[in-house]
Amino acid sequence: MSHLNTELATAMLNHESLDEFFRAHLEEAMNNLLKSELTDFLGYEKHSAQGYGSGNSRNGYYQRELDTRYGKLHLLITRDRQGRFDQ
């Protein structure tokens, strides 16, 4: 059984809210996707030596909320120094 299946089974056995379970996992997946998109855009991993002197780098994030059927997702929208990255 996969890690997600194990967590889901545990949540169900503990009578936890499935909406909250899916909301939390969707939020984590979306934030990881945003980080991966920026990594792909820049062409190097976070903290990689390739980024030094590249002319563009990570520049933190700003927060946004997205309403879904499972509840509000708190997203960390990544950005680059030159402002060219578009999610």
Side-chain angles (χ1 to χ4, degrees):
M1 207 155 53
S2 76
H3 185 60
L4 181 63
N5 288 344
T6 304
E7 288 182 26
L8 179 57
T10 302
M12 290 175 70
L13 288 172
N14 292 331
H15 304 288
E16 295 175 14
S17 167
L18 292 183
D19 282 350
E20 175 55 25
F21 176 84
F22 288 119
R23 189 210 62 77
H25 280 77
L26 182 59
E27 180 178 278
E28 181 181 2
M30 294 286 290
N31 282 320
N32 287 336
L33 179 62
L34 289 166
K35 290 177 193 174
S36 295
E37 280 185 323
L38 182 58
T39 296
D40 185 56
F41 174 78
L42 293 174
Y44 60 87
E45 294 290 329
K46 187 174 184 176
H47 305 298
S48 172
Q50 287 177 301
Y52 299 138
S54 67
N56 200 2
S57 60
R58 288 166 174 75
N59 190 27
Y61 60 87
Y62 57 95
Q63 298 182 19
R64 289 286 185 260
E65 287 187 346
L66 178 66
D67 287 325
T68 69
R69 65 178 282 184
Y70 301 110
K72 286 186 189 279
L73 301 182
H74 303 282
L75 301 178
L76 305 175
I77 310 298
T78 55
R79 58 185 177 205
D80 65 321
R81 291 224 176 263
Q82 293 179 349
R84 294 186 303 152
F85 176 62
D86 189 23
Q87 301 78 13

